[in-house]
């Protein structure tokens, strides 16, 4: 089996995932998965495509991720892993698609507008 390379994005985070045949080791930016993502929900998000396709112990995964915050990075990795699982076996798409794991989340931060405090918040108006 060749190395499968896939990219996932979320907000401003970009994850590059390299999937090899192996024993289930996952490294994120040269750290162990549990060392990089310290909370349970983030680890669950990253492992979700592997758990749903029963591939937790079959592949060694190397991840390079940058940009955004920790949650955006976890969700970018999830998208890249989902894409890799579909490339391995096309039948995995039927499992992952109904859960929304094959869809890139298009929501981005709205920019701040001129003459306003934030993107939507205005300066307070007072009559004096």
């Amino acid at each position: 089996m060749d190395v499968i390379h896939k990219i996932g994005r979320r907000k401003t985070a970009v994850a590059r995932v390299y999937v090899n045949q192996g024993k289930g080791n996952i490294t994120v930016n040269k750290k162990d998965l549990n060392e990089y993502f310290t909370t349970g929900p983030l680890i669950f998000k990253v492992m979700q495509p592997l758990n749903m396709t029963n591939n937790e112990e079959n592949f060694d995964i190397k991840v390079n991720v940058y940009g955004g915050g920790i949650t955006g990075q976890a969700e970018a990795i999830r998208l890249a892993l989902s894409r890799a699982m579909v490339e391995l076996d096309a039948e995995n798409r039927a499992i992952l698609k109904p859960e929304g794991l094959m869809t890139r989340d298009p929501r981005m931060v709205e920019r701040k507008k001129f003459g306003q405090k934030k993107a939507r918040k205005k300066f307070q108006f007072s009559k004096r």
Side-chain angles (χ1 to χ4, degrees):
M1 177 190 142
D2 296 355
V3 176
I4 294 175
H5 171 243
K6 289 291 170 188
I7 295 176
R9 293 185 179 91
R10 170 76 171 98
K11 291 188 175 179
T12 56
V14 179
R16 297 173 189 275
V17 171
Y18 303 91
V19 179
N20 271 337
Q21 202 69 39
K23 296 183 176 125
N25 299 325
I26 301 175
T27 54
V28 181
N29 290 350
K30 298 180 182 171
K31 291 183 182 177
D32 185 55
L33 174 70
N34 296 323
E35 198 178 321
Y36 193 83
F37 294 113
T38 53
T39 63
L42 294 176
I43 294 169
F44 174 78
K45 279 183 184 179
V46 171
M47 295 298 290
Q48 202 173 0
L50 299 172
N51 292 335
M52 291 179 72
T53 57
N54 298 319
N55 287 321
E56 308 92 10
E57 305 290 316
N58 300 344
F59 301 104
D60 285 341
I61 298 165
K62 185 174 169 258
V63 180
N64 293 333
V65 63
Y66 62 91
I70 200 100
T71 304
Q73 288 184 352
E75 292 179 12
I77 293 169
R78 179 173 71 178
L79 178 61
L81 280 175
S82 298
R83 288 175 172 171
M85 293 300 112
V86 168
E87 185 166 316
L88 281 166
D89 186 5
E91 292 174 10
N92 287 337
R93 187 174 186 83
I95 301 167
L96 298 170
K97 183 93 171 125
E99 297 294 320
L101 299 184
M102 295 303 299
T103 308
R104 198 257 196 229
D105 194 340
R107 295 177 293 174
M108 298 291 280
V109 177
E110 194 173 332
R111 75 174 199 88
K112 181 196 171 297
K113 275 70 165 198
F114 172 75
Q116 296 181 9
K117 202 166 191 173
K118 289 165 55 177
R120 303 215 173 176
K121 188 174 184 179
K122 313 281 193 283
F123 287 110
Q124 188 169 345
F125 176 75
S126 64
K127 259 189 179 176
R128 281 195 178 182

